[in-house]
Amino acid sequence: MAKPTILAVDDDPVVSKAITRDLRDRFGADYRVAGATSGPAALELLTEFTLRGRAVALVVTDQRMPGMTGIDLLERVRAVSPDTKLLLLTAYADTDVAIRAINDIGLDYYLLKPWDPPQDKLYPVVEDLLGDWRDGHRDSADQVRVVGHRWSDRSQEVKTFLTRNHVPYTWLDVEREESAGELVELAGAEHADLPLVLVPDGEALRNPGNRELAAALGLHTLADAPLYDLCIVGGGPAGLAAAVYASSEGLRTVVVERDAPGGQAGQSASIENYLGFPKGLSGADLTHRAVAQVARFGAEMVVAREAVGLRVKGPVRSVVIDGTDELEARAVIISTGVSYRRLEADGLEALGARGIHYGASASEAAQCEGEEVYLVGAANSAGQAALNLARYAKRVVMVVRGAALEATMSQYLVERITTATNIEVRLGCEVAAARGEEHLESLTLLDRATGRTDDVETSSLFIFIGAMPRTDWLGDEVLRDDHGFVVTGPELLQRGQRSWPEGRQPFALETSVPGVFAAGDVRLDSMKRVASAVGEGGMAVHLVHRFLATT
């Protein structure tokens, strides 16, 4: 296959030669680096590449060019090649223009000139952008293939598992694609065997469970050591941050995750208020970067295993997983986060996952192209999902119980939603019923003020209505409030902790079991923000060190 292209544009021939040289020195082995000295010349090259079927991974351009500015050029590039990454080289005086371009044209990054030395300033930025581009343009011959029915609960679960574990796959619908039926026949499979998962260089998997699927993909499902310094239960932002800090500071660390790293945040289409990412980043991107850091520092990640119990064995805390297996550690951090609360409406439970989605990944949004979809919720996660769905769906209808979005959603999201031409917001409204045979076909919407109902046709409903913690597995020894959130720190004593067993006050994030800490959304009165979860993960490790020093 032809190498993808990096296109560098600067009207100064000397600068153009320098940027092209620097990019070729570092990336020339994997990319074709081309240069242009004006916006029109760059567009001619882009047209040529498009006609020849050559992918353009990145366009790097100066802002101040006569005739066509860099932003004008990148706006044209975005229209012709929507997946190309865009990097603007600019002077400090033009940073306001660059920041506006993040919202206006989807600029991926801006970099102040000069970029010397490139090893410190240019290459890290370009490597990140190219890495993101590669993740979305993997060779389909090396991808997992999933064959099944669109409206199958298990097919939906398999696709979600693959997406959240950053495993690229090709989806083949047996009802729409002839090749899908041929693959089923070649595998000697039947309807009951679907979904069929075809792994390169592996056996065909018939309706696999998550643990079987993880093992076939080479994901870690068993712990390597009999005893750890720290066991982290839950691989969301808090758990991943704790794993990075703990392992980088020399603690032998293992993370146990029931589904896939990232937690609820990992499903977010875009996190726009996370410090250091002015364009925002997807939950999947944040998770991918965090998992790479965890691996770099040597922490173990065990996936597709669920914690079902917690035991204290003298100086050791034991996490029971999937029945009889146990992970023993000197300290434990609980960071299991929360899961979306189930919507109660007539007929909804019977439909399962056949058109009903709790949360929304990028792959689910893409499968709604050209359709009319409905979304329940009014928090930031719902707003981000609505904007992401609107990129593909013909129309997105937000069903909101309250009287205004502003009461529960950040203003920057409200402004974008209200200006989107294909998003409708129905305030004071709720879903009363859902109907369908093999999958969701229609909803009944109830106006809370008038009592009037409205029947609407749709095959996709996305639900974001608050969250509940997964803490039943902790047993009675770990104090929780009436909703299941873990009580920590001094509040333990305020809530009537009968017998704190230590000759000291509990540490800030410590639970009612000494040496067991809680961080992130699972903890009572946490902020329910990605940044605060990351901070609590790091703080928990600091407290783990203090605890271990006392034992």
Side-chain angles (χ1 to χ4, degrees), residues 47 121 134 186 305 396 398 441 459 462 494 509 512 520:
T47 300
K121 296 184 178 180
R134 285 195 304 270
L186 284 173
R305 304 298 302 275
V396 178
M398 296 185 68
E441 296 174 359
S459 58
F462 296 86
Q494 298 171 13
L509 301 182
S512 54

Side-chain angles (χ1 to χ4, degrees), residues 1 45 61 73 127 189 252 269 296 305 337 351 377 465 500 509:
M1 294 180 61
L45 285 175
T61 181
L73 167 62
E127 285 171 353
R252 183 152 196 184
R296 175 189 169 198
R305 304 298 302 275
L351 287 167
I465 56 168
W500 175 250
L509 301 182

